mmCIF file of all heavy atoms in Angstrom:
data_model
loop_
_atom_site.group_PDB
_atom_site.id
_atom_site.type_symbol
_atom_site.label_atom_id
_atom_site.label_comp_id
_atom_site.label_asym_id
_atom_site.label_seq_id
_atom_site.Cartn_x
_atom_site.Cartn_y
_atom_site.Cartn_z
ATOM 1 N N HIS A 5 103.082 37.127 45.909
ATOM 2 C CA HIS A 5 104.149 37.505 46.928
ATOM 3 C C HIS A 5 103.579 38.068 48.128
ATOM 4 O O HIS A 5 102.717 38.831 48.079
ATOM 5 C CB HIS A 5 105.034 38.524 46.129
ATOM 6 C CG HIS A 5 105.985 39.163 47.033
ATOM 7 N ND1 HIS A 5 107.201 38.662 47.391
ATOM 8 C CD2 HIS A 5 105.988 40.513 47.595
ATOM 9 C CE1 HIS A 5 107.864 39.473 48.124
ATOM 10 N NE2 HIS A 5 107.124 40.593 48.358
ATOM 11 N N GLU A 150 93.516 52.545 69.247
ATOM 12 C CA GLU A 150 92.852 52.690 68.008
ATOM 13 C C GLU A 150 91.515 53.460 68.346
ATOM 14 O O GLU A 150 91.066 54.205 67.564
ATOM 15 C CB GLU A 150 92.592 51.554 67.142
ATOM 16 C CG GLU A 150 93.928 51.219 66.290
ATOM 17 C CD GLU A 150 93.861 49.954 65.655
ATOM 18 O OE1 GLU A 150 92.862 49.817 64.825
ATOM 19 O OE2 GLU A 150 94.686 49.009 65.733
ATOM 20 N N GLN A 211 108.589 48.457 62.499
ATOM 21 C CA GLN A 211 107.761 49.071 63.471
ATOM 22 C C GLN A 211 108.383 48.766 64.774
ATOM 23 O O GLN A 211 108.906 47.632 65.091
ATOM 24 C CB GLN A 211 106.343 48.613 63.444
ATOM 25 C CG GLN A 211 105.471 49.235 64.566
ATOM 26 C CD GLN A 211 104.032 48.839 64.439
ATOM 27 O OE1 GLN A 211 103.228 49.677 64.082
ATOM 28 N NE2 GLN A 211 103.762 47.564 64.673
ATOM 29 N N GLU A 213 106.685 49.324 68.608
ATOM 30 C CA GLU A 213 105.695 49.981 69.397
ATOM 31 C C GLU A 213 105.714 49.714 70.848
ATOM 32 O O GLU A 213 105.906 48.650 71.333
ATOM 33 C CB GLU A 213 104.354 49.264 68.878
ATOM 34 C CG GLU A 213 102.997 49.810 69.437
ATOM 35 C CD GLU A 213 101.812 49.111 69.159
ATOM 36 O OE1 GLU A 213 101.644 47.900 69.344
ATOM 37 O OE2 GLU A 213 100.975 49.755 68.363
ATOM 38 N N ASP A 235 111.931 44.159 59.134
ATOM 39 C CA ASP A 235 111.820 43.972 57.623
ATOM 40 C C ASP A 235 112.303 42.696 57.155
ATOM 41 O O ASP A 235 113.554 42.386 57.245
ATOM 42 C CB ASP A 235 112.485 45.168 57.022
ATOM 43 C CG ASP A 235 112.406 45.169 55.540
ATOM 44 O OD1 ASP A 235 111.618 44.403 55.022
ATOM 45 O OD2 ASP A 235 113.218 45.983 54.895
ATOM 46 N N GLY A 273 93.105 35.802 58.401
ATOM 47 C CA GLY A 273 93.691 37.141 58.537
ATOM 48 C C GLY A 273 95.243 37.233 58.105
ATOM 49 O O GLY A 273 95.931 38.026 58.723
ATOM 50 N N ASP A 288 88.844 36.468 45.130
ATOM 51 C CA ASP A 288 87.687 37.435 44.750
ATOM 52 C C ASP A 288 86.799 36.702 43.666
ATOM 53 O O ASP A 288 85.465 36.747 43.954
ATOM 54 C CB ASP A 288 88.154 38.771 44.195
ATOM 55 C CG ASP A 288 88.997 39.535 45.114
ATOM 56 O OD1 ASP A 288 88.773 39.315 46.411
ATOM 57 O OD2 ASP A 288 89.591 40.566 44.689
ATOM 58 N N ARG A 362 93.998 26.547 35.059
ATOM 59 C CA ARG A 362 93.944 27.577 34.120
ATOM 60 C C ARG A 362 95.351 28.222 33.984
ATOM 61 O O ARG A 362 95.897 28.951 34.845
ATOM 62 C CB ARG A 362 92.857 28.722 34.562
ATOM 63 C CG ARG A 362 92.486 29.692 33.509
ATOM 64 C CD ARG A 362 93.604 30.870 33.840
ATOM 65 N NE ARG A 362 93.356 31.976 32.857
ATOM 66 C CZ ARG A 362 93.811 33.310 33.026
ATOM 67 N NH1 ARG A 362 94.316 33.498 34.178
ATOM 68 N NH2 ARG A 362 93.512 34.234 32.171
ATOM 69 N N GLU B 109 113.434 42.459 43.612
ATOM 70 C CA GLU B 109 112.639 42.193 44.716
ATOM 71 C C GLU B 109 113.416 42.038 46.011
ATOM 72 O O GLU B 109 114.528 41.510 45.947
ATOM 73 C CB GLU B 109 111.737 40.994 44.490
ATOM 74 C CG GLU B 109 110.676 40.725 45.496
ATOM 75 C CD GLU B 109 109.898 39.449 45.144
ATOM 76 O OE1 GLU B 109 110.069 38.920 44.020
ATOM 77 O OE2 GLU B 109 109.336 38.943 46.059
ATOM 78 N N GLN B 113 113.668 47.943 53.119
ATOM 79 C CA GLN B 113 112.763 49.156 53.141
ATOM 80 C C GLN B 113 113.546 50.432 53.526
ATOM 81 O O GLN B 113 113.410 51.455 52.908
ATOM 82 C CB GLN B 113 111.675 49.073 54.227
ATOM 83 C CG GLN B 113 110.602 48.031 53.722
ATOM 84 C CD GLN B 113 109.345 48.228 54.645
ATOM 85 O OE1 GLN B 113 109.036 49.088 55.331
ATOM 86 N NE2 GLN B 113 108.575 47.183 54.491
ATOM 87 N N GLN B 114 114.485 50.273 54.579
ATOM 88 C CA GLN B 114 115.261 51.491 54.892
ATOM 89 C C GLN B 114 116.104 51.890 53.701
ATOM 90 O O GLN B 114 116.253 53.157 53.561
ATOM 91 C CB GLN B 114 116.169 51.041 56.110
ATOM 92 C CG GLN B 114 116.352 52.102 57.071
ATOM 93 C CD GLN B 114 117.430 51.712 58.026
ATOM 94 O OE1 GLN B 114 118.486 52.187 58.088
ATOM 95 N NE2 GLN B 114 117.049 50.578 59.018
ATOM 96 N N ASP B 115 116.701 50.960 53.002
ATOM 97 C CA ASP B 115 117.465 51.398 51.791
ATOM 98 C C ASP B 115 116.683 52.192 50.843
ATOM 99 O O ASP B 115 117.151 53.216 50.309
ATOM 100 C CB ASP B 115 117.985 50.196 51.161
ATOM 101 C CG ASP B 115 119.109 49.444 51.988
ATOM 102 O OD1 ASP B 115 119.378 49.831 53.115
ATOM 103 O OD2 ASP B 115 119.738 48.410 51.433
ATOM 104 N N GLU B 172 97.215 39.716 33.069
ATOM 105 C CA GLU B 172 95.601 39.567 32.832
ATOM 106 C C GLU B 172 95.035 40.668 31.992
ATOM 107 O O GLU B 172 94.355 40.395 30.951
ATOM 108 C CB GLU B 172 94.926 39.378 34.182
ATOM 109 C CG GLU B 172 95.197 38.121 34.930
ATOM 110 C CD GLU B 172 94.480 36.820 34.223
ATOM 111 O OE1 GLU B 172 93.698 37.014 33.391
ATOM 112 O OE2 GLU B 172 95.038 35.787 34.544
ATOM 113 N N THR B 255 87.564 40.646 48.790
ATOM 114 C CA THR B 255 86.902 39.521 49.701
ATOM 115 C C THR B 255 87.965 39.065 50.614
ATOM 116 O O THR B 255 87.702 38.151 51.266
ATOM 117 C CB THR B 255 86.395 38.413 48.768
ATOM 118 O OG1 THR B 255 87.473 37.919 47.912
ATOM 119 C CG2 THR B 255 85.127 38.863 47.984
ATOM 120 N N ARG B 260 96.045 40.353 59.467
ATOM 121 C CA ARG B 260 96.625 40.283 60.785
ATOM 122 C C ARG B 260 97.315 41.458 61.174
ATOM 123 O O ARG B 260 98.127 41.837 60.506
ATOM 124 C CB ARG B 260 97.482 38.997 60.970
ATOM 125 C CG ARG B 260 98.139 38.835 62.256
ATOM 126 C CD ARG B 260 98.979 37.753 62.362
ATOM 127 N NE ARG B 260 99.995 37.901 61.424
ATOM 128 C CZ ARG B 260 101.138 37.052 61.254
ATOM 129 N NH1 ARG B 260 101.151 36.044 62.019
ATOM 130 N NH2 ARG B 260 102.067 37.153 60.474
ATOM 131 N N MET B 262 99.898 43.750 63.106
ATOM 132 C CA MET B 262 101.105 43.671 63.996
ATOM 133 C C MET B 262 101.243 45.008 64.563
ATOM 134 O O MET B 262 101.904 46.006 64.096
ATOM 135 C CB MET B 262 102.305 43.366 63.148
ATOM 136 C CG MET B 262 102.116 42.068 62.239
ATOM 137 S SD MET B 262 101.840 40.658 63.351
ATOM 138 C CE MET B 262 103.495 40.468 64.174
ATOM 139 N N HIS B 264 99.509 48.738 66.362
ATOM 140 C CA HIS B 264 98.508 49.623 65.946
ATOM 141 C C HIS B 264 98.953 50.878 65.160
ATOM 142 O O HIS B 264 98.085 51.431 64.497
ATOM 143 C CB HIS B 264 97.681 50.009 67.220
ATOM 144 C CG HIS B 264 97.199 48.887 67.889
ATOM 145 N ND1 HIS B 264 96.154 48.153 67.629
ATOM 146 C CD2 HIS B 264 97.740 48.303 69.097
ATOM 147 C CE1 HIS B 264 95.952 47.213 68.422
ATOM 148 N NE2 HIS B 264 96.801 47.270 69.298
#
Side-chain angles (χ1 to χ4, degrees):
Chain A
H5 167 81
E150 282 179 54
Q211 180 176 247
E213 185 183 62
D235 181 10
D288 292 342
R362 185 268 183 162
Chain B
E109 180 183 347
Q113 286 189 18
Q114 215 188 111
D115 290 3
E172 286 291 341
T255 55
R260 175 182 61 174
M262 304 300 290
H264 305 281

